[in-house]
PDB file of all heavy atoms in Angstrom:
ATOM      1  N   GLY A  10     122.859-258.877 -74.822  1.00  0.00           N
ATOM      2  CA  GLY A  10     122.286-260.220 -74.817  1.00  0.00           C
ATOM      3  C   GLY A  10     121.788-260.618 -73.446  1.00  0.00           C
ATOM      4  O   GLY A  10     120.703-261.197 -73.311  1.00  0.00           O
ATOM      5  N   VAL A  11     122.556-260.290 -72.413  1.00  0.00           N
ATOM      6  CA  VAL A  11     122.124-260.602 -71.050  1.00  0.00           C
ATOM      7  C   VAL A  11     120.892-259.777 -70.685  1.00  0.00           C
ATOM      8  O   VAL A  11     119.973-260.271 -70.017  1.00  0.00           O
ATOM      9  CB  VAL A  11     123.269-260.356 -70.045  1.00  0.00           C
ATOM     10  CG1 VAL A  11     122.779-260.539 -68.617  1.00  0.00           C
ATOM     11  CG2 VAL A  11     124.430-261.306 -70.311  1.00  0.00           C
ATOM     12  N   ALA A  12     120.839-258.532 -71.135  1.00  0.00           N
ATOM     13  CA  ALA A  12     119.665-257.690 -70.864  1.00  0.00           C
ATOM     14  C   ALA A  12     118.416-258.295 -71.500  1.00  0.00           C
ATOM     15  O   ALA A  12     117.332-258.273 -70.903  1.00  0.00           O
ATOM     16  CB  ALA A  12     119.903-256.279 -71.385  1.00  0.00           C
ATOM     17  N   ARG A  13     118.562-258.846 -72.708  1.00  0.00           N
ATOM     18  CA  ARG A  13     117.412-259.500 -73.343  1.00  0.00           C
ATOM     19  C   ARG A  13     117.013-260.751 -72.571  1.00  0.00           C
ATOM     20  O   ARG A  13     115.820-261.042 -72.416  1.00  0.00           O
ATOM     21  CB  ARG A  13     117.738-259.832 -74.800  1.00  0.00           C
ATOM     22  CG  ARG A  13     117.639-258.629 -75.730  1.00  0.00           C
ATOM     23  CD  ARG A  13     117.731-259.045 -77.181  1.00  0.00           C
ATOM     24  NE  ARG A  13     119.099-259.373 -77.553  1.00  0.00           N
ATOM     25  CZ  ARG A  13     119.977-258.478 -78.001  1.00  0.00           C
ATOM     26  NH1 ARG A  13     119.618-257.204 -78.125  1.00  0.00           N
ATOM     27  NH2 ARG A  13     121.194-258.837 -78.331  1.00  0.00           N
ATOM     28  N   LEU A  14     118.006-261.496 -72.080  1.00  0.00           N
ATOM     29  CA  LEU A  14     117.704-262.682 -71.279  1.00  0.00           C
ATOM     30  C   LEU A  14     116.966-262.276 -69.999  1.00  0.00           C
ATOM     31  O   LEU A  14     116.043-262.977 -69.556  1.00  0.00           O
ATOM     32  CB  LEU A  14     119.000-263.429 -70.952  1.00  0.00           C
ATOM     33  CG  LEU A  14     118.872-264.759 -70.203  1.00  0.00           C
ATOM     34  CD1 LEU A  14     117.997-265.750 -70.973  1.00  0.00           C
ATOM     35  CD2 LEU A  14     120.257-265.357 -69.940  1.00  0.00           C
ATOM     36  N   GLU A  15     117.356-261.167 -69.394  1.00  0.00           N
ATOM     37  CA  GLU A  15     116.637-260.651 -68.216  1.00  0.00           C
ATOM     38  C   GLU A  15     115.175-260.396 -68.534  1.00  0.00           C
ATOM     39  O   GLU A  15     114.280-260.777 -67.762  1.00  0.00           O
ATOM     40  CB  GLU A  15     117.267-259.331 -67.751  1.00  0.00           C
ATOM     41  CG  GLU A  15     118.563-259.462 -67.003  1.00  0.00           C
ATOM     42  CD  GLU A  15     118.971-258.133 -66.376  1.00  0.00           C
ATOM     43  OE1 GLU A  15     118.084-257.446 -65.814  1.00  0.00           O
ATOM     44  OE2 GLU A  15     120.160-257.782 -66.451  1.00  0.00           O
ATOM     45  N   ARG A  16     114.919-259.761 -69.666  1.00  0.00           N
ATOM     46  CA  ARG A  16     113.539-259.445 -70.019  1.00  0.00           C
ATOM     47  C   ARG A  16     112.719-260.716 -70.241  1.00  0.00           C
ATOM     48  O   ARG A  16     111.540-260.773 -69.879  1.00  0.00           O
ATOM     49  CB  ARG A  16     113.508-258.558 -71.266  1.00  0.00           C
ATOM     50  CG  ARG A  16     114.024-257.145 -71.012  1.00  0.00           C
ATOM     51  CD  ARG A  16     113.681-256.203 -72.138  1.00  0.00           C
ATOM     52  NE  ARG A  16     114.403-256.517 -73.368  1.00  0.00           N
ATOM     53  CZ  ARG A  16     115.608-256.025 -73.675  1.00  0.00           C
ATOM     54  NH1 ARG A  16     116.231-255.221 -72.834  1.00  0.00           N
ATOM     55  NH2 ARG A  16     116.181-256.319 -74.815  1.00  0.00           N
ATOM     56  N   ILE A  17     113.352-261.729 -70.820  1.00  0.00           N
ATOM     57  CA  ILE A  17     112.652-263.003 -71.016  1.00  0.00           C
ATOM     58  C   ILE A  17     112.266-263.594 -69.672  1.00  0.00           C
ATOM     59  O   ILE A  17     111.117-263.990 -69.439  1.00  0.00           O
ATOM     60  CB  ILE A  17     113.532-263.991 -71.814  1.00  0.00           C
ATOM     61  CG1 ILE A  17     113.745-263.486 -73.245  1.00  0.00           C
ATOM     62  CG2 ILE A  17     112.881-265.378 -71.831  1.00  0.00           C
ATOM     63  CD1 ILE A  17     114.797-264.249 -74.016  1.00  0.00           C
ATOM     64  N   TRP A  18     113.225-263.634 -68.743  1.00  0.00           N
ATOM     65  CA  TRP A  18     112.963-264.204 -67.425  1.00  0.00           C
ATOM     66  C   TRP A  18     111.875-263.434 -66.685  1.00  0.00           C
ATOM     67  O   TRP A  18     111.010-264.025 -66.037  1.00  0.00           O
ATOM     68  CB  TRP A  18     114.248-264.227 -66.592  1.00  0.00           C
ATOM     69  CG  TRP A  18     115.018-265.500 -66.730  1.00  0.00           C
ATOM     70  CD1 TRP A  18     116.091-265.744 -67.547  1.00  0.00           C
ATOM     71  CD2 TRP A  18     114.761-266.733 -66.049  1.00  0.00           C
ATOM     72  NE1 TRP A  18     116.517-267.037 -67.414  1.00  0.00           N
ATOM     73  CE2 TRP A  18     115.727-267.668 -66.494  1.00  0.00           C
ATOM     74  CE3 TRP A  18     113.836-267.127 -65.102  1.00  0.00           C
ATOM     75  CZ2 TRP A  18     115.767-268.984 -66.026  1.00  0.00           C
ATOM     76  CZ3 TRP A  18     113.865-268.432 -64.627  1.00  0.00           C
ATOM     77  CH2 TRP A  18     114.825-269.342 -65.089  1.00  0.00           C
ATOM     78  N   CYS A  19     111.918-262.126 -66.780  1.00  0.00           N
ATOM     79  CA  CYS A  19     110.950-261.308 -66.038  1.00  0.00           C
ATOM     80  C   CYS A  19     109.547-261.401 -66.635  1.00  0.00           C
ATOM     81  O   CYS A  19     108.574-261.019 -65.981  1.00  0.00           O
ATOM     82  CB  CYS A  19     111.423-259.860 -65.980  1.00  0.00           C
ATOM     83  SG  CYS A  19     112.890-259.643 -64.937  1.00  0.00           S
ATOM     84  N   GLY A  20     109.433-261.901 -67.850  1.00  0.00           N
ATOM     85  CA  GLY A  20     108.124-262.078 -68.458  1.00  0.00           C
ATOM     86  C   GLY A  20     107.568-263.477 -68.334  1.00  0.00           C
ATOM     87  O   GLY A  20     106.425-263.740 -68.745  1.00  0.00           O
ATOM     88  N   LEU A  21     108.356-264.394 -67.744  1.00  0.00           N
ATOM     89  CA  LEU A  21     107.914-265.785 -67.645  1.00  0.00           C
ATOM     90  C   LEU A  21     106.848-265.968 -66.574  1.00  0.00           C
ATOM     91  O   LEU A  21     106.902-265.351 -65.510  1.00  0.00           O
ATOM     92  CB  LEU A  21     109.098-266.694 -67.315  1.00  0.00           C
ATOM     93  CG  LEU A  21     110.076-267.042 -68.439  1.00  0.00           C
ATOM     94  CD1 LEU A  21     111.180-267.944 -67.896  1.00  0.00           C
ATOM     95  CD2 LEU A  21     109.370-267.710 -69.614  1.00  0.00           C
ATOM     96  N   LYS A  22     105.928-266.856 -66.863  1.00  0.00           N
ATOM     97  CA  LYS A  22     104.953-267.319 -65.879  1.00  0.00           C
ATOM     98  C   LYS A  22     105.119-268.821 -65.730  1.00  0.00           C
ATOM     99  O   LYS A  22     105.586-269.508 -66.644  1.00  0.00           O
ATOM    100  CB  LYS A  22     103.526-266.977 -66.315  1.00  0.00           C
ATOM    101  CG  LYS A  22     103.251-265.487 -66.434  1.00  0.00           C
ATOM    102  CD  LYS A  22     101.822-265.246 -66.870  1.00  0.00           C
ATOM    103  CE  LYS A  22     101.500-263.745 -66.895  1.00  0.00           C
ATOM    104  NZ  LYS A  22     102.354-262.996 -67.829  1.00  0.00           N
ATOM    105  N   ARG A  23     104.738-269.331 -64.554  1.00  0.00           N
ATOM    106  CA  ARG A  23     104.894-270.759 -64.291  1.00  0.00           C
ATOM    107  C   ARG A  23     104.244-271.599 -65.386  1.00  0.00           C
ATOM    108  O   ARG A  23     104.805-272.608 -65.847  1.00  0.00           O
ATOM    109  CB  ARG A  23     104.282-271.109 -62.939  1.00  0.00           C
ATOM    110  CG  ARG A  23     104.377-272.595 -62.598  1.00  0.00           C
ATOM    111  CD  ARG A  23     103.624-272.906 -61.318  1.00  0.00           C
ATOM    112  NE  ARG A  23     104.207-272.211 -60.184  1.00  0.00           N
ATOM    113  CZ  ARG A  23     103.644-272.165 -58.968  1.00  0.00           C
ATOM    114  NH1 ARG A  23     102.486-272.755 -58.763  1.00  0.00           N
ATOM    115  NH2 ARG A  23     104.235-271.524 -57.978  1.00  0.00           N
ATOM    116  N   GLN A  24     103.066-271.179 -65.842  1.00  0.00           N
ATOM    117  CA  GLN A  24     102.336-271.945 -66.835  1.00  0.00           C
ATOM    118  C   GLN A  24     103.049-271.966 -68.181  1.00  0.00           C
ATOM    119  O   GLN A  24     102.840-272.874 -68.991  1.00  0.00           O
ATOM    120  CB  GLN A  24     100.917-271.381 -66.996  1.00  0.00           C
ATOM    121  CG  GLN A  24      99.952-272.270 -67.764  1.00  0.00           C
ATOM    122  CD  GLN A  24      99.605-273.554 -67.018  1.00  0.00           C
ATOM    123  OE1 GLN A  24      99.943-273.709 -65.838  1.00  0.00           O
ATOM    124  NE2 GLN A  24      98.942-274.475 -67.712  1.00  0.00           N
ATOM    125  N   ASP A  25     103.918-270.977 -68.436  1.00  0.00           N
ATOM    126  CA  ASP A  25     104.695-270.971 -69.672  1.00  0.00           C
ATOM    127  C   ASP A  25     105.681-272.130 -69.698  1.00  0.00           C
ATOM    128  O   ASP A  25     105.982-272.681 -70.766  1.00  0.00           O
ATOM    129  CB  ASP A  25     105.483-269.661 -69.816  1.00  0.00           C
ATOM    130  CG  ASP A  25     104.589-268.451 -69.955  1.00  0.00           C
ATOM    131  OD1 ASP A  25     103.473-268.596 -70.489  1.00  0.00           O
ATOM    132  OD2 ASP A  25     105.012-267.354 -69.527  1.00  0.00           O
ATOM    133  N   VAL A  26     106.204-272.479 -68.532  1.00  0.00           N
ATOM    134  CA  VAL A  26     107.254-273.492 -68.435  1.00  0.00           C
ATOM    135  C   VAL A  26     106.692-274.846 -68.025  1.00  0.00           C
ATOM    136  O   VAL A  26     107.090-275.892 -68.566  1.00  0.00           O
ATOM    137  CB  VAL A  26     108.335-273.042 -67.427  1.00  0.00           C
ATOM    138  CG1 VAL A  26     109.458-274.071 -67.346  1.00  0.00           C
ATOM    139  CG2 VAL A  26     108.877-271.669 -67.803  1.00  0.00           C
ATOM    140  N   PHE A  27     105.758-274.831 -67.067  1.00  0.00           N
ATOM    141  CA  PHE A  27     105.166-276.073 -66.551  1.00  0.00           C
ATOM    142  C   PHE A  27     103.650-276.063 -66.759  1.00  0.00           C
ATOM    143  O   PHE A  27     102.891-275.862 -65.809  1.00  0.00           O
ATOM    144  CB  PHE A  27     105.469-276.231 -65.054  1.00  0.00           C
ATOM    145  CG  PHE A  27     106.919-276.407 -64.720  1.00  0.00           C
ATOM    146  CD1 PHE A  27     107.669-275.339 -64.254  1.00  0.00           C
ATOM    147  CD2 PHE A  27     107.534-277.637 -64.867  1.00  0.00           C
ATOM    148  CE1 PHE A  27     109.000-275.495 -63.925  1.00  0.00           C
ATOM    149  CE2 PHE A  27     108.878-277.804 -64.553  1.00  0.00           C
ATOM    150  CZ  PHE A  27     109.612-276.731 -64.082  1.00  0.00           C
ATOM    151  N   PRO A  28     103.179-276.252 -67.993  1.00  0.00           N
ATOM    152  CA  PRO A  28     101.730-276.243 -68.241  1.00  0.00           C
ATOM    153  C   PRO A  28     101.069-277.524 -67.754  1.00  0.00           C
ATOM    154  O   PRO A  28     100.936-278.501 -68.493  1.00  0.00           O
ATOM    155  CB  PRO A  28     101.638-276.088 -69.762  1.00  0.00           C
ATOM    156  CG  PRO A  28     102.897-276.687 -70.282  1.00  0.00           C
ATOM    157  CD  PRO A  28     103.951-276.433 -69.229  1.00  0.00           C
ATOM    158  N   VAL A  29     100.654-277.537 -66.499  1.00  0.00           N
ATOM    159  CA  VAL A  29     100.016-278.710 -65.900  1.00  0.00           C
ATOM    160  C   VAL A  29      98.498-278.571 -66.030  1.00  0.00           C
ATOM    161  O   VAL A  29      97.923-277.563 -65.619  1.00  0.00           O
ATOM    162  CB  VAL A  29     100.400-278.850 -64.412  1.00  0.00           C
ATOM    163  CG1 VAL A  29      99.716-280.064 -63.800  1.00  0.00           C
ATOM    164  CG2 VAL A  29     101.917-278.976 -64.272  1.00  0.00           C
ATOM    165  N   THR A  30      97.856-279.548 -66.612  1.00  0.00           N
ATOM    166  CA  THR A  30      96.401-279.538 -66.772  1.00  0.00           C
ATOM    167  C   THR A  30      95.797-280.739 -66.045  1.00  0.00           C
ATOM    168  O   THR A  30      96.494-281.723 -65.754  1.00  0.00           O
ATOM    169  CB  THR A  30      96.003-279.609 -68.251  1.00  0.00           C
ATOM    170  OG1 THR A  30      96.455-280.859 -68.797  1.00  0.00           O
ATOM    171  CG2 THR A  30      96.634-278.461 -69.040  1.00  0.00           C
ATOM    172  N   LEU A  31      94.501-280.653 -65.766  1.00  0.00           N
ATOM    173  CA  LEU A  31      93.815-281.768 -65.114  1.00  0.00           C
ATOM    174  C   LEU A  31      93.919-283.029 -65.958  1.00  0.00           C
ATOM    175  O   LEU A  31      94.155-284.125 -65.436  1.00  0.00           O
ATOM    176  CB  LEU A  31      92.349-281.410 -64.870  1.00  0.00           C
ATOM    177  CG  LEU A  31      91.493-282.490 -64.208  1.00  0.00           C
ATOM    178  CD1 LEU A  31      92.062-282.866 -62.845  1.00  0.00           C
ATOM    179  CD2 LEU A  31      90.052-282.010 -64.083  1.00  0.00           C
ATOM    180  N   ARG A  32      93.767-282.870 -67.257  1.00  0.00           N
ATOM    181  CA  ARG A  32      93.860-284.036 -68.150  1.00  0.00           C
ATOM    182  C   ARG A  32      95.228-284.683 -68.035  1.00  0.00           C
ATOM    183  O   ARG A  32      95.351-285.905 -68.015  1.00  0.00           O
ATOM    184  CB  ARG A  32      93.607-283.587 -69.589  1.00  0.00           C
ATOM    185  CG  ARG A  32      93.695-284.713 -70.608  1.00  0.00           C
ATOM    186  CD  ARG A  32      93.401-284.190 -72.002  1.00  0.00           C
ATOM    187  NE  ARG A  32      93.524-285.254 -72.988  1.00  0.00           N
ATOM    188  CZ  ARG A  32      93.370-285.069 -74.292  1.00  0.00           C
ATOM    189  NH1 ARG A  32      93.061-283.855 -74.754  1.00  0.00           N
ATOM    190  NH2 ARG A  32      93.516-286.070 -75.125  1.00  0.00           N
ATOM    191  N   ARG A  33      96.283-283.839 -67.957  1.00  0.00           N
ATOM    192  CA  ARG A  33      97.645-284.368 -67.845  1.00  0.00           C
ATOM    193  C   ARG A  33      97.826-285.100 -66.515  1.00  0.00           C
ATOM    194  O   ARG A  33      98.450-286.166 -66.450  1.00  0.00           O
ATOM    195  CB  ARG A  33      98.631-283.212 -67.946  1.00  0.00           C
ATOM    196  CG  ARG A  33     100.051-283.629 -68.230  1.00  0.00           C
ATOM    197  CD  ARG A  33     100.254-283.851 -69.700  1.00  0.00           C
ATOM    198  NE  ARG A  33     101.617-284.292 -69.982  1.00  0.00           N
ATOM    199  CZ  ARG A  33     102.059-284.566 -71.196  1.00  0.00           C
ATOM    200  NH1 ARG A  33     101.260-284.464 -72.233  1.00  0.00           N
ATOM    201  NH2 ARG A  33     103.296-284.961 -71.386  1.00  0.00           N
ATOM    202  N   MET A  34      97.283-284.533 -65.447  1.00  0.00           N
ATOM    203  CA  MET A  34      97.429-285.151 -64.128  1.00  0.00           C
ATOM    204  C   MET A  34      96.714-286.494 -64.069  1.00  0.00           C
ATOM    205  O   MET A  34      97.241-287.470 -63.531  1.00  0.00           O
ATOM    206  CB  MET A  34      96.900-284.209 -63.049  1.00  0.00           C
ATOM    207  CG  MET A  34      97.725-282.936 -62.891  1.00  0.00           C
ATOM    208  SD  MET A  34      97.018-281.788 -61.695  1.00  0.00           S
ATOM    209  CE  MET A  34      97.249-282.713 -60.179  1.00  0.00           C
ATOM    210  N   VAL A  35      95.515-286.558 -64.638  1.00  0.00           N
ATOM    211  CA  VAL A  35      94.792-287.826 -64.669  1.00  0.00           C
ATOM    212  C   VAL A  35      95.551-288.844 -65.521  1.00  0.00           C
ATOM    213  O   VAL A  35      95.628-290.026 -65.193  1.00  0.00           O
ATOM    214  CB  VAL A  35      93.363-287.608 -65.209  1.00  0.00           C
ATOM    215  CG1 VAL A  35      92.670-288.955 -65.438  1.00  0.00           C
ATOM    216  CG2 VAL A  35      92.558-286.761 -64.244  1.00  0.00           C
ATOM    217  N   GLY A  36      96.159-288.351 -66.604  1.00  0.00           N
ATOM    218  CA  GLY A  36      96.886-289.239 -67.501  1.00  0.00           C
ATOM    219  C   GLY A  36      98.073-289.911 -66.862  1.00  0.00           C
ATOM    220  O   GLY A  36      98.527-290.965 -67.327  1.00  0.00           O
ATOM    221  N   VAL A  37      98.613-289.316 -65.794  1.00  0.00           N
ATOM    222  CA  VAL A  37      99.757-289.922 -65.114  1.00  0.00           C
ATOM    223  C   VAL A  37      99.429-291.322 -64.618  1.00  0.00           C
ATOM    224  O   VAL A  37     100.288-292.205 -64.551  1.00  0.00           O
ATOM    225  CB  VAL A  37     100.221-289.018 -63.940  1.00  0.00           C
ATOM    226  CG1 VAL A  37     101.228-289.735 -63.068  1.00  0.00           C
ATOM    227  CG2 VAL A  37     100.811-287.729 -64.474  1.00  0.00           C
TER     228      VAL A  37
END
């Protein structure tokens, strides 16, 4: 299970977790 969690972490990109778009920034 921990090995699978490692693979998930190693495949993550910033945009997967924090999808910031221009539209979102303007909407603030």
Side-chain angles (χ1 to χ4, degrees):
V11 174
R13 281 190 284 272
L14 184 58
E15 284 190 43
R16 290 194 292 271
I17 294 169
W18 269 97
C19 291
L21 283 180
K22 297 180 176 61
R23 179 186 297 171
Q24 193 68 10
D25 296 330
V26 182
F27 295 100
V29 179
T30 63
L31 179 59
R32 179 179 178 183
R33 196 83 182 180
M34 293 176 68
V35 172
V37 169

